[in-house]
Amino acid sequence: MNAYPKITLVGAGPGDTDLISLKGLKALSTADVVLYDALVDDALLDYIPKDAVRVFVGKRANRHAYSQLEINQMMVNFARSHGHVVRLKGGDPFVFGRGGEELEYAAQHHIPTSVVPGISSSIALAGLQGIPLTYRGVSESFWVITGATTTGSISNDIYTAAQTAATVVVLMGLNKLAEIVQVYQEADKGKLPIAVIQNGSLPNEKIALGTVDTIVDQVKEQAIGAPAVIIIGEVVAKHKQFALEPSNAVAV
């Protein structure tokens, strides 16, 4: 057990265990307790000391193992009782990962903290598919927007983003895909390319490619499910298979 309490927030990356940073693995190797999420590959637990406490605190199928407050309390309590707590989170802790809330709670209880950034699925999965989020003369910026607000409605930012030429990445938005499509159709962008990627970076990765007008049908045909990332913008047409079929919608 470490002599002093501390908490380290570690981003595990988008899924592939090789995409965690070396610094993240070093943090795991010195952990006394690891609190890990559903999107973290269990193989990463092999890097934890054998006598370390392991607690699954993730969310699966809309079921929470613990509330956010309970997770916050566990981090602090374990740090005080065991020493070094690693909060292992999918992607990056600060991209819709509630890492900021956890840091604030630890600070309120005077527990030293550090952060190891992770590769966010909002950027990595597009790149792994050969889709550039920005491209000279095509897209000058990209937006990352949540598809799941606390009110249950789509984010107002999607309405604003649909009026721009920016690439838009929507996380946690598969259940809102039809509503997102409607927003873009109302903005007269039915022909805009779009991709939906499930289980990005993993061996069972799937992708549906199409346009705003066709993507809902393509997602159904390809049986795309959560977790999935939605990418909307002209850059999606840069995918090597986008134009291979007349419908501009193929599965990889």
Side-chain angles (χ1 to χ4, degrees), residues 90-120:
D92 180 87
F94 289 166
V95 182
F96 301 119
R98 306 188 75 168
E101 297 174 41
E102 294 173 352
L103 277 190
E104 288 178 355
Y105 190 89
Q108 291 167 4
H109 292 80
H110 310 291
I111 305 295
T113 60
S114 59
V115 176
V116 180
I119 299 175
S120 173

Side-chain angles (χ1 to χ4, degrees), residues 22-104:
L22 179 59
K23 190 169 185 177
L25 292 181
K26 288 180 178 178
L28 287 176
S29 71
T30 63
D32 297 302
V33 179
V34 176
L35 307 180
Y36 64 100
D37 283 346
L39 295 180
V40 172
D41 193 308
D42 288 348
L44 287 177
L45 302 182
D46 293 340
Y47 294 90
I48 300 169
K50 292 183 178 180
D51 58 349
V53 177
R54 308 173 185 200
V55 183
F56 173 74
V57 296
K59 174 184 177 183
R60 287 195 175 113
N62 294 318
R63 295 191 302 273
H64 294 269
Y66 297 94
S67 70
Q68 186 61 50
L69 178 58
E70 288 173 325
I71 294 170
N72 293 347
Q73 292 170 338
M74 278 194 289
M75 287 193 311
V76 169
N77 292 339
F78 273 126
R80 288 172 173 165
S81 64
H82 286 66
H84 183 202
V85 174
V86 170
R87 178 70 175 99
L88 187 61
K89 308 170 77 70
D92 180 87
F94 289 166
V95 182
F96 301 119
R98 306 188 75 168
E101 297 174 41
E102 294 173 352
L103 277 190
E104 288 178 355

Side-chain angles (χ1 to χ4, degrees), residues 110-173:
H110 310 291
I111 305 295
T113 60
S114 59
V115 176
V116 180
I119 299 175
S120 173
S121 62
S122 62
I123 298 174
L125 301 192
L128 289 172
Q129 284 289 339
I131 299 173
L133 293 181
T134 59
Y135 194 95
R136 185 171 56 178
V138 178
S139 175
E140 299 176 352
S141 64
F142 64 92
W143 297 38
V144 180
I145 304 175
T146 179
T149 66
T150 54
T151 64
S153 60
I154 64 173
S155 171
N156 286 331
D157 289 343
I158 291 177
Y159 291 90
T160 304
Q163 302 299 321
T164 75
T167 305
V168 176
V169 181
V170 183
L171 304 183
M172 303 171 291

Side-chain angles (χ1 to χ4, degrees), residues 132-234:
L133 293 181
T134 59
Y135 194 95
R136 185 171 56 178
V138 178
S139 175
E140 299 176 352
S141 64
F142 64 92
W143 297 38
V144 180
I145 304 175
T146 179
T149 66
T150 54
T151 64
S153 60
I154 64 173
S155 171
N156 286 331
D157 289 343
I158 291 177
Y159 291 90
T160 304
Q163 302 299 321
T164 75
T167 305
V168 176
V169 181
V170 183
L171 304 183
M172 303 171 291
L174 187 62
N175 290 337
K176 298 292 185 181
L177 180 60
E179 294 179 50
I180 295 169
V181 161
Q182 184 176 354
V183 170
Y184 274 83
Q185 287 172 331
E186 291 174 352
D188 197 26
K189 294 187 176 180
K191 302 303 181 184
L192 192 65
I194 182 169
V196 181
I197 305 169
Q198 176 188 2
N199 294 325
S201 81
L202 297 174
N204 59 343
E205 180 179 54
K206 294 197 295 184
I207 181 171
L209 294 166
T211 65
V212 167
D213 285 340
T214 67
I215 195 62
V216 171
D217 289 338
Q218 285 301 311
V219 164
K220 290 179 181 177
E221 288 182 17
Q222 306 305 330
I224 301 292
V229 171
I230 302 167
I231 306 170
I232 311 168
E234 295 292 351

